[in-house]
Amino acid sequence: MTTRYKITLTYDGTNFAGFQRQPHQRTVESVLTKAVNKMAKDPAEPIVIYGAGRTDAGVHAFGQVVHFDLPYAISAEGVRRGLNSLLPVDALVKTVEIVPDTFHARYDTVGKRYWYRAYSNEFVAPFKRNFTGHFKFAADINRIQQAIPDLVGKHDFSTFVASGSQAHDHVREIYSAKAWALPDEQEIQFEFCGSGFLYNQVRIMVAVLMEIGQGRRAVDCIPQLLAAKNRDLARGTAPAAGLYMKKVYYEAKDLQADLIKD
Amino acid sequence: MTTRYKITLTYDGTNFAGFQRQPHQRTVESVLTKAVNKMAKDPAEPIVIYGAGRTDAGVHAFGQVVHFDLPYAISAEGVRRGLNSLLPVDALVKTVEIVPDTFHARYDTVGKRYWYRAYSNEFVAPFKRNFTGHFKFAADINRIQQAIPDLVGKHDFSTFVASGSQAHDHVREIYSAKAWALPDEQEIQFEFCGSGFLYNQVRIMVAVLMEIGQGRRAVDCIPQLLAAKNRDLARGTAPAAGLYMKKVYYEAKDLQADLIKD
């Protein structure tokens, strides 16, 4: 008899080589797997964890979701405190729930939400260097706001996927996409909510939008880029440091409730 | 004929072993000295830099002030861009001024301002770990606000100085001291403006104030602590990561203008 736990995890991606376990690398999956197994007294059959989605090296998370099974039942609060006592200081379990054995962190998602912080200045800012993507040139928020609605909807995002992607089907639906400026911070921030995102899709969309804002692409270029289904036309990828996995949705009603606020 | 430059510097103290040059350590003074000398084509007589004050390992700065002399005159903007091209990403020159040869970054100060961020939670927060001091127990802002005015004024701060201090005279004047809570962030923030501060003084004052807030000391304990002139009575030192050197004053009128806003 096992018990399934769903946890939400926040991490500063700066010192992780991404989420996914890789040999000889410090990844989120490896430190969390180690903590879960240590909490369970290192059972003969190691406990495996399943994440909602991978994040690249340097990418942050406020709400990564992971599930795993324990060979016994302890309280959700006990798991939260146990794991947080064992995790390194750059990863923290925010919430823990006991869920039905049918729950799957990866396959049951109905949506995901990402946040991006783009900082424009000639030089990198010391306190922002790990937490924003750095752009040398300022972008015009009005141009970005004119262009961004063209990304919303169901599209083939082949132009916006990195070559390392293992996905065969590049059709995804973006439910909401917004951008706003924080002039005092010299930042433009973006938020995207969609059915799911392809490898590097958010970072490629941000790179194109920043180029539109900088006047290096036309405001109305996105429909042509989408229609071309050709990654060579997008080229850039915004830096990992500006990207945050904000929220993963498992219930249509939670997704709808947040979309109403967008 | 030399030209004297006054620069204000911001740095993320996380990866520096403090401001002051030390053998085999990466310090702010050493990286800045290297950048200044490289910009000046490594003159036979190395250029020496003078900082307004030392900061410890892990302590941050928004407005550290430094002066140095160049053997020639280039524009302030040329110095700013030249240094920022040579400095590492965790230190940045914000402003540069050409000043009279009599200006001294350390001896001409008329006041300094420090900011402190105290985060209370059972566990360290990933995104705050290098930028706040971590406290296990929450503090009551009302108790802190009742106690903090007792620090304002001219006092012998011998109870609030670390043993490593080289200062003989422990009398300093605090012009303003305030604390406020950010409940959503689980933070209490502090700001102190004074004539100058002893070694670790701000961090020791914050440690005592947090203990007052946590109910571990009486709200009215500060006058007795000051009168005792005995460091053993204060004990704690708040973590370096929460401390920011915010501003250094050289003109009484600038200091007055900011104190009116406090």
Side-chain angles (χ1 to χ4, degrees):
Chain A
M1 197 51 202
T2 60
T3 311
R4 185 157 292 186
Y5 294 87
K6 171 192 173 191
I7 69 173
T8 58
L9 191 69
T10 184
Y11 48 85
D12 172 353
T14 307
N15 298 323
F16 287 109
F19 182 82
Q20 196 183 10
R21 182 189 281 262
Q22 291 177 64
H24 315 300
Q25 298 271 18
R26 181 178 188 268
T27 68
V28 177
E29 191 179 17
S30 64
V31 303
L32 182 58
T33 300
K34 201 172 153 187
V36 168
N37 280 279
K38 190 163 183 185
M39 184 177 66
K41 317 273 182 221
D42 288 309
E45 177 87 22
I47 296 160
V48 177
I49 70 164
Y50 297 88
R54 296 166 188 171
T55 53
D56 275 341
V59 173
H60 313 290
F62 291 143
Q64 172 71 280
V65 175
V66 170
H67 86 259
F68 54 83
D69 294 333
L70 291 183
Y72 47 77
I74 55 172
S75 71
E77 177 61 7
V79 168
R80 188 185 72 84
R81 297 183 60 157
L83 288 179
N84 282 335
S85 305
L86 294 163
L87 282 170
V89 288
D90 48 356
L92 184 83
V93 173
K94 288 164 79 177
T95 62
V96 179
E97 284 171 77
I98 295 174
V99 288
D101 285 355
T102 51
F103 174 83
H104 198 289
R106 182 167 170 198
Y107 300 123
D108 290 358
T109 64
V110 296
K112 284 183 186 157
R113 182 177 289 270
Y114 282 91
W115 182 45
Y116 195 94
R117 293 176 60 186
Y119 173 66
S120 292
N121 193 292
E122 186 179 2
F123 300 106
V124 176
F127 291 101
K128 291 179 190 279
R129 71 190 195 286
N130 295 325
F131 307 111
T132 61
H134 178 237
F135 293 80
K136 288 232 166 192
F137 302 102
D140 176 348
I141 185 65
N142 294 314
R143 291 176 60 87
I144 292 173
Q145 286 173 337
Q146 270 181 268
I148 203 167
D150 289 339
L151 289 165
V152 176
K154 202 172 204 166
H155 302 287
D156 183 316
F157 283 97
S158 293
T159 302
F160 297 87
V161 61
S163 54
S165 167
Q166 285 160 10
H168 297 293
D169 176 7
H170 292 165
V171 175
R172 294 291 183 277
E173 183 166 359
I174 294 188
Y175 304 129
S176 85
K178 31 179 206 177
W180 61 95
L182 284 76
D184 292 349
E185 295 289 325
Q186 298 174 269
E187 282 188 34
I188 289 179
Q189 300 188 348
F190 300 86
E191 205 162 296
F192 299 93
C193 183
S195 58
F197 294 90
L198 297 162
Y199 186 49
N200 277 358
Q201 182 182 341
V202 175
R203 290 165 59 192
I204 298 169
M205 292 191 302
V206 168
V208 166
L209 289 165
M210 286 298 285
E211 285 165 7
I212 291 170
Q214 291 162 344
R216 295 160 65 198
R217 289 183 187 267
V219 164
D220 61 359
C221 72
I222 288 175
Q224 295 126 277
L225 288 175
L226 286 166
K229 298 174 196 169
N230 178 355
R231 164 67 173 140
D232 294 342
L233 297 183
R235 291 188 304 273
T237 305
L243 185 61
Y244 298 74
M245 181 190 258
K246 195 174 172 187
K247 199 163 174 181
V248 183
Y249 297 94
Y250 294 92
E251 301 280 349
K253 68 174 181 351
D254 295 342
L255 178 64
Q256 288 309 323
D258 276 5
L259 288 173
I260 286 164
K261 290 184 234 155
D262 278 334
Chain B
M1 197 50 201
T2 59
T3 312
R4 185 157 292 185
Y5 294 86
K6 171 192 174 190
I7 70 174
T8 58
L9 191 69
T10 184
Y11 48 84
D12 171 352
T14 307
N15 298 324
F16 287 109
F19 182 82
Q20 196 183 9
R21 182 189 281 262
Q22 291 178 64
H24 314 299
Q25 298 270 17
R26 181 178 187 269
T27 69
V28 177
E29 190 177 20
S30 64
V31 303
L32 182 59
T33 300
K34 200 172 152 188
V36 167
N37 279 277
K38 190 162 183 186
M39 184 178 65
K41 318 273 181 218
D42 288 309
E45 177 86 21
I47 296 161
V48 178
I49 70 164
Y50 298 88
R54 296 165 189 170
T55 52
D56 276 341
V59 173
H60 312 290
F62 291 144
Q64 172 72 280
V65 176
V66 170
H67 86 261
F68 54 82
D69 295 333
L70 291 183
Y72 48 77
I74 55 171
S75 71
E77 177 61 7
V79 167
R80 187 184 73 83
R81 297 184 58 157
L83 288 178
N84 282 335
S85 305
L86 294 164
L87 282 170
V89 289
D90 49 354
L92 183 83
V93 173
K94 287 164 77 177
T95 62
V96 180
E97 284 171 75
I98 293 174
V99 288
D101 286 354
T102 51
F103 174 84
H104 197 290
R106 180 166 172 199
Y107 300 123
D108 290 359
T109 64
V110 297
K112 284 183 186 156
R113 182 177 290 269
Y114 282 91
W115 182 45
Y116 195 93
R117 292 175 61 186
Y119 173 67
S120 292
N121 193 293
E122 185 180 3
F123 300 105
V124 176
F127 292 100
K128 292 180 189 278
R129 73 190 194 285
N130 295 324
F131 307 110
T132 61
H134 178 236
F135 293 80
K136 287 232 168 192
F137 302 102
D140 177 348
I141 185 64
N142 295 314
R143 290 176 61 87
I144 292 173
Q145 285 173 338
Q146 269 181 270
I148 202 168
D150 289 339
L151 289 165
V152 176
K154 201 171 204 167
H155 302 289
D156 184 316
F157 284 97
S158 293
T159 302
F160 297 87
V161 61
S163 52
S165 167
Q166 286 159 10
H168 297 294
D169 177 7
H170 291 166
V171 175
R172 295 291 183 276
E173 184 167 0
I174 293 187
Y175 303 129
S176 86
K178 30 179 206 176
W180 61 97
L182 283 76
D184 291 348
E185 295 289 326
Q186 297 173 272
E187 283 189 33
I188 289 179
Q189 300 188 347
F190 299 86
E191 204 163 296
F192 299 94
C193 183
S195 59
F197 294 90
L198 297 162
Y199 185 49
N200 277 357
Q201 184 182 338
V202 176
R203 291 166 57 190
I204 297 168
M205 294 191 301
V206 168
V208 166
L209 289 165
M210 286 298 286
E211 286 165 7
I212 291 170
Q214 290 162 345
R216 296 161 63 197
R217 290 182 185 269
V219 163
D220 61 358
C221 71
I222 288 175
Q224 295 126 277
L225 288 176
L226 285 166
K229 298 175 197 169
N230 179 356
R231 164 66 173 141
D232 294 342
L233 298 183
R235 290 187 307 273
T237 306
L243 185 60
Y244 297 75
M245 181 189 258
K246 194 174 173 188
K247 199 163 173 181
V248 183
Y249 297 95
Y250 294 93
E251 302 280 349
K253 69 174 179 352
D254 294 342
L255 178 63
Q256 288 309 323
D258 276 4
L259 288 172
I260 286 165
K261 288 182 238 157
D262 278 336

